[in-house]
Coordinates of all heavy atoms in Angstrom, one line a residue:
M8 N 23.3 121.4 -51.9 CA 22.7 122.7 -52.2 C 23.1 123.7 -51.2 O 23.6 124.8 -51.5 CB 21.1 122.6 -52.1 CG 20.4 123.8 -52.4 SD 20.6 124.3 -54.1 CE 19.6 125.8 -54.2
K9 N 23.1 123.4 -49.9 CA 23.5 124.3 -48.8 C 25.0 124.6 -49.0 O 25.4 125.8 -48.8 CB 23.2 123.6 -47.5 CG 23.5 124.5 -46.3 CD 23.2 123.8 -45.0 CE 23.5 124.7 -43.8 NZ 23.2 124.0 -42.6
Q10 N 25.7 123.6 -49.4 CA 27.2 123.9 -49.6 C 27.4 124.9 -50.7 O 28.3 125.7 -50.6 CB 27.8 122.5 -49.9 CG 29.2 122.4 -49.4 CD 29.8 121.0 -49.5 OE1 29.3 120.3 -50.3 NE2 30.8 120.7 -48.7
K11 N 26.6 124.8 -51.8 CA 26.8 125.7 -52.9 C 26.4 127.1 -52.5 O 27.1 128.1 -52.9 CB 25.9 125.3 -54.1 CG 26.5 124.1 -54.8 CD 25.6 123.9 -56.1 CE 26.2 122.8 -56.9 NZ 25.4 122.5 -58.1
L12 N 25.3 127.3 -51.7 CA 24.9 128.6 -51.3 C 26.0 129.4 -50.5 O 26.1 130.6 -50.7 CB 23.6 128.6 -50.5 CG 22.3 128.4 -51.3 CD1 21.2 128.2 -50.3 CD2 22.1 129.5 -52.1
F13 N 26.6 128.7 -49.7 CA 27.6 129.4 -48.8 C 29.0 129.0 -49.1 O 29.9 129.2 -48.3 CB 27.2 129.0 -47.3 CG 25.9 129.4 -46.9 CD1 24.9 128.5 -46.8 CD2 25.5 130.7 -46.8 CE1 23.6 128.8 -46.4 CE2 24.3 131.1 -46.4 CZ 23.3 130.2 -46.3
S14 N 29.3 128.5 -50.2 CA 30.6 128.1 -50.6 C 31.5 129.4 -50.8 O 31.1 130.4 -51.3 CB 30.6 127.4 -51.9 OG 31.9 127.1 -52.3
E15 N 32.7 129.2 -50.3 CA 33.7 130.3 -50.4 C 34.1 130.5 -51.8 O 34.5 131.6 -52.2 CB 34.9 129.9 -49.5 CG 36.0 130.9 -49.4 CD 37.1 130.5 -48.5 OE1 36.9 129.5 -47.8 OE2 38.2 131.1 -48.5
K16 N 34.0 129.5 -52.6 CA 34.5 129.6 -54.0 C 33.7 130.6 -54.8 O 34.2 131.1 -55.8 CB 34.5 128.2 -54.7 CG 35.5 127.3 -54.1 CD 35.4 125.9 -54.7 CE 36.3 124.9 -54.0 NZ 36.1 123.5 -54.4
N17 N 32.4 130.8 -54.5 CA 31.5 131.6 -55.3 C 31.8 133.1 -55.0 O 31.3 134.0 -55.8 CB 30.1 131.3 -55.0 CG 29.7 129.9 -55.4 OD1 30.4 129.4 -56.2 ND2 28.7 129.4 -54.8
Y18 N 32.6 133.5 -54.0 CA 32.7 134.9 -53.7 C 34.2 135.3 -53.7 O 35.1 134.5 -53.3 CB 32.1 135.2 -52.3 CG 30.7 134.7 -52.3 CD1 30.3 133.5 -51.7 CD2 29.7 135.5 -52.9 CE1 29.0 133.1 -51.7 CE2 28.4 135.1 -53.0 CZ 28.1 133.9 -52.4 OH 26.8 133.5 -52.4
S19 N 34.5 136.5 -54.2 CA 35.8 136.9 -54.3 C 36.4 137.2 -52.9 O 35.6 137.6 -52.0 CB 35.9 138.2 -55.2 OG 35.1 139.2 -54.6
K20 N 37.7 137.1 -52.7 CA 38.3 137.4 -51.5 C 38.4 138.9 -51.3 O 39.0 139.6 -52.1 CB 39.7 136.8 -51.4 CG 39.8 135.3 -51.3 CD 41.2 134.8 -51.2 CE 41.3 133.3 -50.9 NZ 42.6 132.8 -50.8
K21 N 37.7 139.4 -50.3 CA 37.7 140.8 -50.0 C 37.7 141.0 -48.5 O 37.1 140.2 -47.8 CB 36.5 141.5 -50.6 CG 36.5 141.6 -52.1 CD 35.5 142.5 -52.7 CE 34.1 142.2 -52.3 NZ 33.1 143.1 -53.0
C22 N 38.2 142.1 -48.0 CA 38.2 142.3 -46.6 C 36.8 142.5 -46.1 O 36.5 142.1 -44.9 CB 39.0 143.6 -46.2 SG 40.8 143.4 -46.4
T23 N 35.9 142.9 -46.9 CA 34.5 143.0 -46.5 C 33.8 141.7 -46.2 O 32.8 141.6 -45.5 CB 33.6 143.8 -47.6 OG1 33.8 143.1 -48.8 CG2 34.1 145.2 -47.7
N24 N 34.4 140.6 -46.8 CA 33.8 139.2 -46.5 C 34.6 138.5 -45.5 O 34.4 137.3 -45.2 CB 33.8 138.4 -47.8 CG 32.8 139.0 -48.8 OD1 31.9 139.6 -48.5 ND2 33.1 138.7 -50.1
C25 N 35.6 139.1 -44.9 CA 36.5 138.4 -44.0 C 36.0 138.4 -42.5 O 35.4 139.4 -42.1 CB 37.9 139.1 -44.1 SG 39.1 138.3 -43.0
A26 N 36.3 137.4 -41.8 CA 35.8 137.3 -40.4 C 36.5 138.3 -39.5 O 36.0 138.7 -38.5 CB 36.1 135.9 -39.9
Y27 N 37.7 138.7 -39.9 CA 38.5 139.7 -39.1 C 38.2 141.1 -39.4 O 38.7 142.0 -38.7 CB 40.0 139.4 -39.3 CG 40.4 138.0 -38.9 CD1 40.9 137.1 -39.8 CD2 40.3 137.6 -37.6 CE1 41.3 135.8 -39.5 CE2 40.7 136.3 -37.2 CZ 41.1 135.4 -38.2 OH 41.5 134.1 -37.8
G28 N 37.5 141.4 -40.4 CA 37.2 142.8 -40.9 C 35.9 143.3 -40.5 O 34.9 142.5 -40.5
T29 N 35.8 144.6 -40.2 CA 34.5 145.2 -39.9 C 34.4 146.5 -40.8 O 35.3 147.3 -40.7 CB 34.4 145.6 -38.4 OG1 34.5 144.5 -37.6 CG2 33.0 146.2 -38.2
L30 N 33.4 146.6 -41.6 CA 33.2 147.7 -42.5 C 32.8 148.9 -41.7 O 32.0 148.8 -40.8 CB 32.1 147.4 -43.5 CG 32.0 148.3 -44.7 CD1 33.3 148.2 -45.6 CD2 30.8 147.8 -45.6
T31 N 33.5 150.1 -42.0 CA 33.1 151.3 -41.2 C 31.8 151.8 -41.7 O 31.2 151.4 -42.7 CB 34.2 152.4 -41.5 OG1 34.3 152.6 -42.9 CG2 35.5 152.0 -40.9
D32 N 31.2 152.7 -40.9 CA 29.9 153.2 -41.2 C 29.8 153.9 -42.6 O 28.8 153.9 -43.3 CB 29.4 154.2 -40.1 CG 29.1 153.5 -38.8 OD1 28.8 152.3 -38.9 OD2 29.1 154.2 -37.8
D33 N 30.9 154.6 -43.0 CA 30.9 155.3 -44.3 C 31.2 154.3 -45.4 O 31.3 154.7 -46.6 CB 31.9 156.5 -44.2 CG 33.3 156.1 -44.0 OD1 33.6 154.9 -43.8 OD2 34.2 157.0 -44.0
K34 N 31.5 153.1 -45.1 CA 31.8 152.0 -46.1 C 33.0 152.3 -47.0 O 33.1 151.8 -48.1 CB 30.5 151.8 -47.0 CG 29.3 151.3 -46.2 CD 28.2 151.0 -47.1 CE 26.9 150.7 -46.4 NZ 26.8 150.2 -45.1
M35 N 33.9 153.2 -46.5 CA 35.1 153.5 -47.3 C 36.3 152.7 -46.8 O 37.3 152.5 -47.6 CB 35.4 155.0 -47.1 CG 34.4 155.9 -47.6 SD 34.1 155.8 -49.3 CE 35.6 156.6 -49.9
N36 N 36.3 152.1 -45.6 CA 37.4 151.4 -45.1 C 36.9 150.1 -44.3 O 35.7 150.1 -43.9 CB 38.2 152.2 -44.1 CG 38.9 153.4 -44.8 OD1 39.7 153.1 -45.8 ND2 38.6 154.6 -44.4
V37 N 37.8 149.2 -44.1 CA 37.6 148.1 -43.2 C 38.5 148.1 -42.0 O 39.8 148.3 -42.2 CB 37.8 146.7 -44.0 CG1 37.7 145.5 -43.1 CG2 36.7 146.7 -45.1
L38 N 38.0 147.9 -40.8 CA 38.9 147.9 -39.7 C 39.2 146.4 -39.4 O 38.3 145.6 -39.1 CB 38.1 148.5 -38.5 CG 37.7 149.9 -38.7 CD1 36.9 150.4 -37.4 CD2 38.8 150.8 -39.0
C39 N 40.4 146.0 -39.5 CA 40.9 144.7 -39.4 C 41.5 144.4 -38.1 O 42.3 145.2 -37.6 CB 41.8 144.3 -40.6 SG 42.6 142.7 -40.4
Q40 N 41.2 143.2 -37.5 CA 41.8 142.8 -36.2 C 43.3 142.5 -36.4 O 44.0 142.6 -35.5 CB 41.0 141.6 -35.6 CG 39.6 141.9 -35.3 CD 38.9 140.6 -34.9 OE1 39.5 139.6 -34.6 NE2 37.6 140.7 -34.9
K41 N 43.7 142.1 -37.6 CA 45.0 141.6 -37.9 C 45.9 142.7 -38.5 O 47.1 142.8 -38.1 CB 45.0 140.4 -38.8 CG 44.2 139.3 -38.4 CD 44.9 138.5 -37.3 CE 44.1 137.3 -37.0 NZ 44.7 136.5 -35.8
K42 N 45.3 143.5 -39.4 CA 46.2 144.4 -40.2 C 45.8 145.9 -40.0 O 46.5 146.8 -40.6 CB 46.0 144.1 -41.7 CG 46.4 142.7 -42.1 CD 47.9 142.5 -42.1 CE 48.3 141.1 -42.6 NZ 49.7 141.0 -42.9
G43 N 44.8 146.3 -39.3 CA 44.5 147.7 -39.1 C 43.5 148.1 -40.1 O 42.6 147.4 -40.5
V44 N 43.7 149.3 -40.6 CA 42.7 149.9 -41.6 C 43.1 149.4 -43.0 O 44.2 149.6 -43.4 CB 42.8 151.5 -41.5 CG1 41.8 152.1 -42.5 CG2 42.4 151.9 -40.1
K45 N 42.1 148.9 -43.7 CA 42.3 148.4 -45.1 C 41.3 148.9 -46.0 O 40.2 149.3 -45.6 CB 42.3 146.8 -45.0 CG 43.3 146.2 -44.2 CD 44.7 146.3 -44.7 CE 44.9 145.4 -45.9 NZ 46.3 145.4 -46.4
E46 N 41.5 148.8 -47.3 CA 40.6 149.1 -48.3 C 39.5 148.0 -48.4 O 39.9 146.8 -48.2 CB 41.2 149.3 -49.7 CG 42.2 150.4 -49.8 CD 41.6 151.7 -50.1 OE1 40.6 151.7 -50.9 OE2 42.1 152.7 -49.6
P47 N 38.3 148.2 -48.7 CA 37.3 147.2 -48.7 C 37.6 146.0 -49.7 O 37.3 144.9 -49.5 CB 36.0 147.9 -49.2 CG 36.2 149.3 -48.7 CD 37.7 149.5 -48.9
D48 N 38.3 146.3 -50.8 CA 38.6 145.3 -51.8 C 39.9 144.6 -51.6 O 40.3 143.7 -52.4 CB 38.5 145.9 -53.2 CG 37.1 146.3 -53.6 OD1 36.2 145.7 -53.1 OD2 37.0 147.2 -54.5
D49 N 40.7 145.0 -50.6 CA 41.9 144.3 -50.3 C 41.7 143.0 -49.7 O 40.6 142.7 -49.2 CB 42.8 145.2 -49.3 CG 43.4 146.4 -50.0 OD1 43.4 146.4 -51.2 OD2 43.9 147.2 -49.2
F50 N 42.7 142.2 -49.6 CA 42.7 140.9 -48.8 C 44.2 140.6 -48.6 O 45.1 141.1 -49.2 CB 41.9 139.8 -49.5 CG 42.6 139.2 -50.7 CD1 43.4 138.0 -50.5 CD2 42.5 139.7 -51.9 CE1 44.0 137.5 -51.6 CE2 43.1 139.2 -53.0 CZ 43.9 138.0 -52.9
C51 N 44.4 139.7 -47.6 CA 45.7 139.2 -47.3 C 45.7 137.7 -47.0 O 44.6 137.1 -47.1 CB 46.2 139.9 -46.0 SG 45.5 139.4 -44.5
R52 N 46.8 137.1 -46.7 CA 46.8 135.7 -46.5 C 46.1 135.2 -45.2 O 46.0 134.0 -45.0 CB 48.3 135.2 -46.5 CG 49.1 135.7 -45.4 CD 50.5 135.2 -45.6 NE 51.4 135.8 -44.5 CZ 52.5 135.3 -44.2 NH1 53.1 134.3 -44.8 NH2 53.2 135.9 -43.2
K53 N 45.7 136.1 -44.3 CA 45.0 135.7 -43.1 C 43.5 135.7 -43.4 O 42.7 135.4 -42.5 CB 45.2 136.7 -42.0 CG 46.7 136.9 -41.7 CD 46.9 136.5 -40.3 CE 48.4 136.7 -39.9 NZ 48.8 135.6 -39.1
Y54 N 43.1 135.9 -44.6 CA 41.7 136.0 -45.0 C 41.0 134.7 -44.5 O 41.4 133.6 -44.7 CB 41.6 136.1 -46.5 CG 40.1 136.0 -47.0 CD1 39.3 137.1 -47.0 CD2 39.6 134.8 -47.5 CE1 38.0 137.1 -47.5 CE2 38.3 134.8 -48.0 CZ 37.5 135.9 -48.0 OH 36.3 135.8 -48.4
K55 N 39.8 135.0 -43.9 CA 39.0 133.9 -43.4 C 37.5 134.2 -43.8 O 37.0 135.2 -43.3 CB 39.1 133.7 -41.9 CG 38.3 132.5 -41.4 CD 38.5 132.4 -39.9 CE 37.6 131.4 -39.3 NZ 37.7 131.4 -37.8
Y56 N 36.9 133.4 -44.7 CA 35.6 133.7 -45.2 C 34.6 133.6 -44.1 O 34.5 132.7 -43.3 CB 35.3 132.7 -46.3 CG 33.9 132.9 -46.9 CD1 33.5 134.1 -47.5 CD2 32.9 131.9 -46.8 CE1 32.3 134.2 -48.1 CE2 31.7 132.0 -47.4 CZ 31.4 133.2 -48.0 OH 30.1 133.4 -48.5
D57 N 33.7 134.7 -44.1 CA 32.6 134.7 -43.1 C 31.3 134.8 -43.9 O 31.0 135.9 -44.5 CB 32.7 135.9 -42.2 CG 31.6 135.9 -41.1 OD1 30.7 135.1 -41.2 OD2 31.7 136.8 -40.2
P58 N 30.5 133.7 -44.1 CA 29.3 133.7 -44.9 C 28.3 134.7 -44.4 O 27.4 135.1 -45.2 CB 28.8 132.3 -44.9 CG 29.5 131.6 -43.7 CD 30.8 132.4 -43.4
L59 N 28.3 135.1 -43.1 CA 27.3 136.0 -42.6 C 27.5 137.4 -43.1 O 26.7 138.3 -43.0 CB 27.2 136.0 -41.1 CG 26.8 134.6 -40.5 CD1 26.9 134.7 -39.0 CD2 25.5 134.2 -41.0
K60 N 28.7 137.7 -43.6 CA 29.0 139.1 -44.1 C 28.7 139.2 -45.6 O 28.9 140.3 -46.2 CB 30.5 139.4 -43.8 CG 30.7 139.6 -42.3 CD 32.1 140.1 -42.0 CE 32.2 140.3 -40.5 NZ 33.6 140.7 -40.2
R61 N 28.3 138.1 -46.2 CA 28.0 138.2 -47.6 C 26.8 139.0 -47.9 O 25.8 138.9 -47.2 CB 27.8 136.8 -48.1 CG 27.4 136.7 -49.6 CD 27.2 135.2 -49.9 NE 26.0 134.7 -49.3 CZ 24.8 134.7 -49.9 NH1 24.6 135.2 -51.1 NH2 23.8 134.1 -49.3
V62 N 26.9 139.9 -48.9 CA 25.7 140.7 -49.3 C 25.2 140.1 -50.6 O 25.8 140.1 -51.6 CB 26.1 142.2 -49.6 CG1 24.9 143.0 -50.0 CG2 26.7 142.8 -48.3
P63 N 23.9 139.5 -50.5 CA 23.4 138.9 -51.7 C 23.2 139.8 -52.9 O 23.0 141.0 -52.7 CB 22.0 138.3 -51.2 CG 22.0 138.5 -49.8 CD 23.0 139.5 -49.4
Q64 N 23.3 139.3 -54.1 CA 23.1 140.1 -55.2 C 21.6 140.5 -55.3 O 20.8 139.7 -54.9 CB 23.5 139.4 -56.5 CG 24.9 139.1 -56.6 CD 25.3 138.3 -57.9 OE1 24.4 137.7 -58.5 NE2 26.5 138.3 -58.2
K65 N 21.3 141.7 -55.8 CA 20.0 142.1 -56.0 C 19.3 141.4 -57.1 O 19.9 141.2 -58.2 CB 19.9 143.6 -56.2 CG 20.3 144.4 -55.0 CD 20.1 145.9 -55.2 CE 20.4 146.6 -53.9 NZ 20.2 148.1 -54.0
I66 N 18.1 141.1 -56.9 CA 17.3 140.4 -58.0 C 16.4 141.4 -58.7 O 15.7 142.2 -58.1 CB 16.4 139.3 -57.4 CG1 17.2 138.2 -56.7 CG2 15.5 138.7 -58.4 CD1 16.4 137.2 -55.9
T67 N 16.5 141.4 -60.0 CA 15.7 142.3 -60.8 C 14.6 141.5 -61.5 O 14.9 140.5 -62.1 CB 16.5 143.1 -61.9 OG1 17.2 142.1 -62.6 CG2 17.5 144.0 -61.2
L68 N 13.4 141.8 -61.2 CA 12.2 141.1 -61.8 C 11.8 141.7 -63.1 O 11.9 143.0 -63.3 CB 11.1 141.2 -60.8 CG 11.3 140.5 -59.5 CD1 10.1 140.7 -58.6 CD2 11.6 139.0 -59.6
R69 N 11.4 140.9 -64.0 CA 11.0 141.4 -65.3 C 9.6 142.1 -65.1 O 8.8 141.7 -64.3 CB 10.8 140.2 -66.3 CG 12.0 139.7 -66.8 CD 11.8 138.5 -67.7 NE 10.6 138.5 -68.5 CZ 10.0 137.5 -69.0 NH1 10.5 136.3 -68.8 NH2 8.9 137.6 -69.7
S70 N 9.4 143.2 -65.9 CA 8.1 143.9 -65.7 C 7.3 143.7 -67.0 O 6.2 144.3 -67.0 CB 8.4 145.4 -65.5 OG 9.1 145.9 -66.6
D71 N 7.7 142.9 -67.9 CA 6.9 142.7 -69.1 C 6.1 141.5 -69.1 O 5.9 140.8 -70.2 CB 7.9 142.8 -70.3 CG 9.0 141.7 -70.3 OD1 9.2 141.2 -69.1 OD2 9.6 141.4 -71.3
Y72 N 5.6 141.0 -68.0 CA 4.7 139.9 -68.0 C 3.3 140.2 -68.5 O 2.8 141.3 -68.4 CB 4.5 139.4 -66.5 CG 5.7 138.8 -65.9 CD1 6.4 139.4 -64.9 CD2 6.2 137.5 -66.4 CE1 7.6 138.8 -64.4 CE2 7.3 136.9 -65.9 CZ 8.0 137.6 -64.9 OH 9.1 137.0 -64.3
T73 N 2.7 139.2 -69.1 CA 1.3 139.4 -69.6 C 0.4 138.4 -68.9 O 0.9 137.5 -68.2 CB 1.3 139.1 -71.1 OG1 1.7 137.8 -71.4 CG2 2.1 140.1 -71.9
A74 N -0.9 138.5 -69.0 CA -1.8 137.6 -68.4 C -1.6 136.2 -68.9 O -1.8 135.2 -68.2 CB -3.2 138.1 -68.7
E75 N -1.1 136.0 -70.1 CA -0.9 134.7 -70.7 C 0.2 133.9 -70.0 O 0.3 132.7 -69.9 CB -0.6 134.8 -72.2 CG -1.7 135.3 -73.0 CD -1.3 135.5 -74.4 OE1 -0.1 135.3 -74.8 OE2 -2.2 136.0 -75.2
D76 N 1.1 134.7 -69.4 CA 2.2 134.0 -68.7 C 1.8 133.3 -67.4 O 2.4 132.4 -67.0 CB 3.3 135.1 -68.2 CG 4.0 135.6 -69.4 OD1 4.1 134.9 -70.4 OD2 4.5 136.8 -69.3
F77 N 0.6 133.7 -66.9 CA 0.1 133.0 -65.7 C -1.0 132.1 -65.9 O -1.6 131.6 -65.0 CB -0.4 134.1 -64.7 CG 0.8 135.1 -64.3 CD1 0.9 136.3 -64.9 CD2 1.7 134.7 -63.4 CE1 2.0 137.1 -64.6 CE2 2.7 135.5 -63.0 CZ 2.9 136.7 -63.6
M78 N -1.3 131.8 -67.2 CA -2.4 130.8 -67.5 C -1.8 129.4 -67.6 O -0.7 129.2 -68.0 CB -3.0 131.2 -68.8 CG -3.8 132.5 -68.8 SD -4.5 132.8 -70.4 CE -6.1 133.3 -69.9
L79 N -2.6 128.4 -67.2 CA -2.2 127.0 -67.3 C -2.7 126.4 -68.6 O -3.7 126.8 -69.2 CB -2.8 126.2 -66.1 CG -2.3 126.6 -64.8 CD1 -3.0 125.8 -63.7 CD2 -0.8 126.4 -64.7
Ligands
SF4_120 S1 43.5 142.4 -44.1 FE1 43.4 140.2 -44.2 S2 42.7 139.5 -42.1 FE2 42.3 141.7 -42.3 S3 40.2 141.8 -43.0 FE3 41.5 141.9 -44.8 S4 41.6 139.8 -45.5 FE4 40.9 139.7 -43.4

């Protein structure tokens, strides 16, 4: 389970997810330790996945619940 949550395979290669990249404050560029200024969606062969930079997908909750949905 833990392996699935943080697996590199589930996320696309992007500079924003790379250990060497830092997203700028305006979120328009990534400052890379290896390649300089890059576009957020770019990547290169030095790409190294950093799970701490992953932004989880937003969860949308249904709003059409009724009282019967919570009855046993
Ligand atoms: S250019 Fe390569 S090394 Fe730099 S942040 Fe992007 S993927 Fe990582």
